[in-house]
Amino acid sequence: MSTGLQPAELGFFVSLATCGSLSGAARELGVSTAAVSKRLAQMEARLGLPLVNRTTRRMSLTPDGEVLLAHARRILDDIADLDQLLGASKGQPKGQLRVNATLGFGRLHVAPAISQYALRYPEVDVQLQLSVRPPPLTDDQFDVCIRFGAPADARVIAKKLANNRRLLCASPGYLAARGAPASPADLARHNCICIRQGDDAHGTWRLHRDGADGPGETVKVRGNLATNDGETAVNWALDGHGILLRAEWDVARYLDSGRLVQVLPQFLTPDADIYAVYPQHRQQSARVRTLVAFLAQAFDVSFRRE
């Protein structure tokens, strides 16, 4: 029995779900909100089931709507890939590419790289979403996710883009006033700027001596300033409030300029290398392959320090 779905409605429904509201979809599609509502009602009437829960303030998908969305995205992606493989544009990526990254890293590094990618591949429509709490890697909402650390999930493919270390650092003014720690244990006597992010234990720093075997040392630190925003924490360190443990990508420019000084450089923290993660069924997509290669090249230049 036919569902009554029309091919053009797949794209319409993906746009509606991505925008998250009837009015947002109307702006995206260049039509009125009433036209979007009418088209959705016609789809639901032909299917004989609701796809969207509507309230005065928000819109959410029904379970059947979620199923339709997942399949619609995959079908549209497969059509775009097939068109590219068979058409005259073979080798030149085109179509929609959905990318997710964390907020701070996405603003500082991913967004500028995508700007250059779009200049090279103008037929690709890139949608970049920056998230404080990134979605699960198995969520098919995105074609490529930029993550820190190799994912353990075997259902996705992970391509390493760049090395990334977490470094201890502080301003020269703070170290002049309080002295530099000589060992990890000394950190407990310093004012340390803590960042509450993800599942990391708050105020627990793990360090091991470069080249040494074993689990290393775990230090419980404290300070009078804590935040869930990395940029804020870096600014506090620049203002001389204390010692910060932060990714090299975020503090390298301040270390190079001398505004921050590395603390305990002979000790390392667990790696947090940068990966592009994508579903296995997207590995043949020219859009995904070209973006991952482009990001790897861009990050190699950005993170190379003299």
Side-chain angles (χ1 to χ4, degrees):
M1 176 176 168
S2 173
T3 64
L5 277 175
Q6 304 299 316
E9 290 176 332
L10 299 180
F12 163 76
F13 192 73
V14 169
S15 295
L16 175 63
T18 301
C19 292
S21 69
L22 299 180
S23 59
R27 289 190 296 271
E28 175 77 15
L29 298 171
V31 299
S32 67
T33 302
V36 172
S37 180
K38 180 179 179 181
R39 189 172 183 183
L40 174 61
Q42 290 173 340
M43 287 180 61
E44 292 177 324
R46 285 198 304 273
L47 291 169
L49 48 86
L51 300 173
V52 172
N53 296 312
R54 305 169 183 80
T55 66
T56 56
R57 294 189 176 181
R58 58 173 299 181
M59 181 197 88
S60 63
L61 300 184
T62 65
D64 289 313
E66 294 283 2
V67 171
L68 174 59
L69 175 63
H71 283 270
R73 281 176 169 152
R74 184 165 298 187
I75 290 168
L76 293 173
D77 285 340
D78 288 343
I79 290 173
D81 290 340
L82 181 61
D83 178 62
Q84 187 165 301
L85 286 170
L86 299 179
S89 62
K90 183 176 181 180
Q92 182 70 14
K94 65 177 182 177
Q96 188 178 87
L97 186 61
R98 303 175 301 270
V99 184
N100 177 265
T102 56
L103 196 60
F105 185 76
R107 284 176 177 168
L108 192 61
H109 290 288
V110 179
I114 286 180
S115 175
Q116 296 304 308
Y117 174 85
L119 293 175
R120 181 176 296 184
Y121 302 108
E123 293 189 72
V124 179
D125 298 326
V126 185
Q127 295 182 357
L128 173 63
Q129 183 184 85
L130 303 182
S131 306
V132 175
R133 284 191 169 274
L137 293 175
T138 52
D139 188 338
D140 205 31
Q141 182 179 356
F142 298 100
D143 300 303
V144 181
C145 295
I146 310 303
R147 295 290 183 269
F148 297 102
D153 198 319
R155 292 172 293 178
V156 297
I157 295 174
K159 168 68 175 179
K160 186 176 177 180
L161 300 177
N163 296 324
N164 180 50
R165 301 177 298 160
R166 292 188 179 98
L167 305 177
L168 290 165
C169 54
S171 71
Y174 175 85
L175 296 176
R178 298 285 300 272
S183 70
D186 291 343
L187 292 171
R189 295 189 289 274
H190 276 267
N191 201 52
C192 295
I193 300 169
C194 296
I195 303 176
R196 300 175 181 267
Q197 286 182 336
D199 298 324
D200 293 340
H202 174 62
T204 301
W205 292 353
R206 298 176 180 85
L207 305 165
H208 67 273
R209 187 178 290 275
D210 190 8
D213 296 325
E217 301 182 48
T218 299
V219 183
K220 184 66 176 177
V221 299
R222 64 169 303 279
N224 65 333
L225 291 176
T227 179
N228 68 338
D229 180 63
E231 184 177 353
T232 297
V234 172
N235 287 332
W236 285 343
L238 291 169
D239 289 340
H241 286 287
I243 296 176
L244 174 68
L245 177 62
R246 189 61 180 158
E248 186 173 15
W249 64 262
D250 203 12
V251 297
R253 61 194 186 278
Y254 301 121
L255 293 170
D256 291 339
S257 69
R259 294 186 65 192
L260 291 177
V261 177
Q262 190 173 352
V263 173
L264 296 174
Q266 70 274 32
F267 286 87
L268 305 177
T269 63
D271 290 335
D273 295 334
I274 303 163
Y275 285 83
V277 184
Y278 48 94
Q280 292 186 0
H281 68 268
R282 304 267 14 106
Q283 61 183 315
Q284 298 301 321
S285 167
R287 298 184 301 281
V288 170
R289 287 189 285 104
T290 54
L291 177 68
V292 170
F294 194 92
L295 291 177
Q297 183 179 32
F299 292 169
D300 180 62
V301 174
S302 297
F303 301 155
R304 188 184 300 141
R305 299 178 63 194
E306 299 299 333

